[in-house]
Amino acid sequence: MPAPEKKTVALLTLGCARNEVDSEELAARLAGDGWQVSTDGSQADVVLVNTCGFVEKAKQDSIETLLAASGTGAKVVAAGCMAERYGRELAESLPEADAVLGFDDYPSISATLDSVLRGEKVEPHVPRDRRELLPITPVERRSAKAVVPGHTVVDAATPAHLRPILRHRLEKGPVASLKLASGCDRRCAFCAIPSFRGSFVSRLPEELLAEAEWLARSGVRELVLVSENSTSYGKDLGDPRALEKLLPQLAAIDGIVRVRASYLQPAETRPGLVEVIANTPGVAAYFDLSFQHSSEPVLRRMRRFGSTERFLELLGSARELAPAAGARSNFIVGFPGETRADFEELVRFVTEARLDAIGVFDYSDEDGTEAAGMDHKVTSATIKRRYEKLLSLADELCAQRAEERIGSTVDVMVDTISDGVIEGRAAHQAPEVDGSTTLVGGFDGAALRPGDLVRAKVVRTEGVDLVAEPVTMVSAVVTTD
C-alpha cells in the first residue's frame, strides 16, 4: 500500500529578520508533525504568509502577497504582525484568507492548518494589547505563560545544550539570525510595535548559545543578533551587561567566524558595549544605531533621547576604538511639529555622521500611536520634499563613505557564487539592508565557497557597494566531502 502523500505548506515571510526566525519556529512545528515545508507557494496545499504590520507600505505588501497566494488555488493563512495587530478586521476585509491567526495560535499551528485543509471555519484572531499579558516588572516575566514567538523551550527540564531546537531553517546560506529577545518597553510616539509584540522579554544566554551551536553545525558562519531593542538584552534577567558578556561567547563557538549585533538604541548603548563590539575578535565592528532624528525637540516629541552632538560623540567613541567601524541608521522626516530648522539640524547630523547606510522614512500616522493624535502635522507636500532631499543626500553621502574605503582591506563573508560572480559582505555590511562586496581577480573563483571569510583589498566602488581583490583566506569552510 503506497504511503500517503505528505501535506505541503509554503511559508512566505515578509518584513524583518525577527519574522524570519518566527517563520522557522513555525516550520519546525509543522515539519515535526509531518508537513512538507518549503518557501515555494506555487505547489503547496497551504500558503502561510508571515505578514508585516510595521508601516503602511509593509501592510500593503502583506495584503498583496495574500491576494497573490489565493490565486494559486492553495488554502491561504495569514499570521505574523499584521494578523496579530488587526485580526478579525483583516479577516473581514480580506475574505481570500482562509484563516487569520495570532501569536497565541503558533503552538497549535499544525492542527489549525489541518482544520483549514478540511474546509472548517477557523475563528479569526481577536487582537489585544500584548503588553497586558506580561508583568510590568521585567524580572517577573520569566514566570508568565504568554506565547512569545521564537522563545519556545522544548523540554525545559533538560539542560539547554541537550534540548532539541525548535527551528527549521528555510534558507541554507552561511548567515542566520539569532533572536535575542522579543517585544519592547520603550514608548516611542510613532511606533505601535509594543502593542502587538508585547513587553520586552530576553531569552536566556544558555538557550542562545545552544541555538547558536546548532546553527553552526548546520553550516552557519555568521550570526546576526536581532530583537526589537538589543541594548535592553538582559535587563529582565537582572544583568544589564548581558550582551557584553554574550558577544564574546558567541564569537568563540566553533564554526562561527562573525557575530553581528543589530537594533541598538543610542540612549542605551553603554561604553562597555561599544568597546566589546569594537574590539572583540569575531564580532563585527558594526553599529546599527536607531537614531530616527537628531533635532532635540523632535526627539523629545518622539519620546526619545539624544541630540546631534550626543550622537556624533557616540559615533566618535566607536571610531576611536575601531576607525573602520561601520555604522547605519534610519530616520523619519515630517514627524508632527518638525520645523524647517529641525529638518536642517537632521541634515547637519547626517552630513557629519559618515554613515555607511541610511534608511529614510516619510512619516505617516499609525493606528494606536501617540503621534497619530498630535497636532502641528507637517503637510504631505512638505514631507515629500524633505523625504526626497534627505534620500538624495543619503545616497550621495553613503557613496562617499564607500569611496573612503578604497585602498583599505576588508574581511568579506562570501554569500553567493553565481555565473562566476562572487558576492559577499564586509564587516560594515549587514545582510539585506546594506551594500555588498564583489570579489574580483585574486583567487580562482572555483576555490571559494559560500561561507568563506576572505581578506580583500578594496579597488573601487559602485555606489555603496565595494569591489575588492582577494588577498588571503581568513577562514575557509570545512567540507566533509
Side-chain angles (χ1 to χ4, degrees):
M1 182 175 178
E5 289 189 10
K6 275 195 172 185
K7 299 165 292 186
T8 59
V9 56
L11 269 159
L12 308 184
T13 307
L14 301 173
C16 64
R18 301 183 295 275
N19 255 16
E20 293 171 5
V21 177
D22 293 352
S23 285
E24 294 191 346
E25 177 193 313
L26 291 169
R29 292 184 183 279
L30 290 162
D33 285 336
W35 289 76
Q36 184 173 313
V37 182
S38 77
T39 57
D40 180 7
S42 63
Q43 302 294 324
D45 297 318
V46 180
V47 176
L48 177 57
V49 182
N50 190 349
T51 60
C52 179
F54 180 41
V55 292
E56 192 59 40
K57 184 179 185 305
K59 288 183 279 190
Q60 189 59 43
D61 288 344
S62 295
I63 291 171
E64 290 173 0
T65 302
L66 288 163
L67 290 172
S70 71
T72 67
K75 297 290 186 179
V76 178
V77 175
C81 291
M82 186 178 182
E84 174 66 39
R85 185 176 181 184
Y86 294 103
R88 183 170 293 166
E89 179 185 341
L90 177 63
E92 291 172 353
S93 62
L94 197 71
E96 291 84 356
D98 296 281
V100 175
L101 309 180
F103 297 145
D104 292 333
D105 296 305
Y106 284 18
S108 58
I109 188 67
S110 183
T112 301
L113 296 197
D114 280 335
S115 297
V116 169
L117 267 184
R118 291 193 296 267
E120 298 172 3
K121 179 176 175 58
V122 175
E123 287 298 318
H125 161 67
V126 178
R128 63 178 296 185
D129 189 333
R130 292 193 73 82
R131 290 171 292 194
E132 299 173 356
L133 304 179
L134 292 165
I136 293 175
T137 306
V139 294
E140 295 177 353
R141 293 172 188 163
R142 303 299 312 173
S143 60
K145 302 300 182 184
V147 174
V148 182
H151 288 239
T152 302
V153 174
V154 180
D155 190 12
T158 302
H161 68 285
L162 297 177
R163 295 173 193 158
I165 304 298
L166 191 64
R167 185 165 178 178
H168 175 92
R169 292 197 69 201
L170 295 170
E171 301 292 340
K172 303 303 182 184
V175 183
S177 296
L178 181 66
K179 181 182 276 193
L180 290 175
S182 284
C184 186
D185 286 345
R186 301 184 72 88
R187 295 295 179 264
C188 299
F190 54 82
C191 183
I193 288 175
S195 66
F196 58 86
R197 274 290 185 179
S199 299
F200 186 88
V201 181
S202 299
R203 297 178 66 196
L204 294 173
E206 54 266 33
E207 294 173 15
L208 293 166
L209 291 166
E211 185 171 324
E213 290 171 355
W214 177 83
L215 287 167
R217 290 194 298 272
S218 75
V220 170
R221 303 270 284 165
E222 178 176 334
L223 297 172
V224 181
L225 310 186
V226 300
S227 69
E228 275 77 20
N229 176 9
S230 296
T231 38
S232 279
Y233 177 70
K235 73 173 188 179
D236 50 333
L237 306 177
D239 186 358
R241 296 184 60 240
L243 184 56
E244 298 170 36
K245 299 173 184 177
L246 180 66
L247 283 166
Q249 292 177 290
L250 291 170
I253 291 174
D254 187 34
I256 298 299
V257 297
R258 189 153 71 195
V259 179
R260 183 186 304 276
S262 61
Y263 303 104
L264 308 177
Q265 284 286 346
E268 298 178 19
T269 304
R270 296 170 296 277
L273 179 59
V274 172
E275 184 174 355
V276 167
I277 293 175
N279 288 342
T280 304
V283 175
Y286 174 81
F287 293 86
D288 175 16
L289 293 157
S290 176
F291 291 127
Q292 302 300 346
H293 213 282
S294 72
S295 167
E296 200 162 359
V298 173
L299 288 166
R300 293 298 175 272
R301 286 193 292 275
M302 288 180 167
R303 307 295 182 215
R304 296 175 67 86
F305 303 94
S307 65
T308 293
E309 301 309 325
R310 289 174 65 182
F311 291 163
L312 290 175
E313 287 173 9
L314 176 57
L315 290 168
S317 69
R319 288 169 177 149
E320 185 175 346
L321 295 168
R328 81 170 324 273
S329 193
N330 297 317
F331 300 95
I332 299 171
V333 298
F335 188 80
E338 182 191 63
T339 65
R340 180 183 300 174
D342 292 326
F343 179 71
E344 291 305 321
E345 182 68 2
L346 176 57
V347 168
R348 179 172 81 87
F349 170 69
V350 170
T351 303
E352 296 183 22
R354 295 171 59 235
L355 299 172
D356 293 277
I358 298 171
V360 182
F361 293 87
D362 48 343
Y363 173 81
S364 62
D365 288 337
E366 283 295 315
D367 298 336
T369 62
E370 180 185 357
M374 287 182 174
D375 54 14
H376 303 297
K377 293 290 175 66
V378 181
T379 67
S380 58
T382 299
I383 292 176
K384 183 175 186 292
R385 184 170 63 252
R386 291 176 182 173
Y387 170 81
E388 290 174 349
K389 178 177 179 178
L390 191 64
L391 186 64
S392 176
L393 177 63
D395 290 344
E396 179 184 345
L397 292 171
C398 291
Q400 289 176 5
R401 177 64 176 145
E403 289 175 357
E404 292 176 17
R405 297 187 183 274
I406 294 175
S408 68
T409 57
V410 292
D411 287 353
V412 179
M413 169 71 69
V414 177
D415 283 335
T416 61
I417 301 174
S418 178
D419 297 328
V421 178
I422 306 168
E423 290 286 339
R425 291 168 298 98
H428 69 281
Q429 297 170 323
E432 306 296 337
V433 294
D434 299 337
S436 65
T437 299
T438 302
L439 296 177
V440 296
F443 294 169
D444 176 4
L448 293 177
R449 298 171 182 265
D452 285 340
L453 189 67
V454 179
R455 186 156 297 148
K457 182 178 180 180
V458 180
V459 294
R460 64 178 185 275
T461 64
E462 296 175 355
V464 298
D465 299 327
L466 307 182
V467 179
E469 295 178 350
V471 175
T472 187
M473 180 72 73
V474 176
S475 177
V477 173
V478 177
T479 62
T480 56
D481 296 344

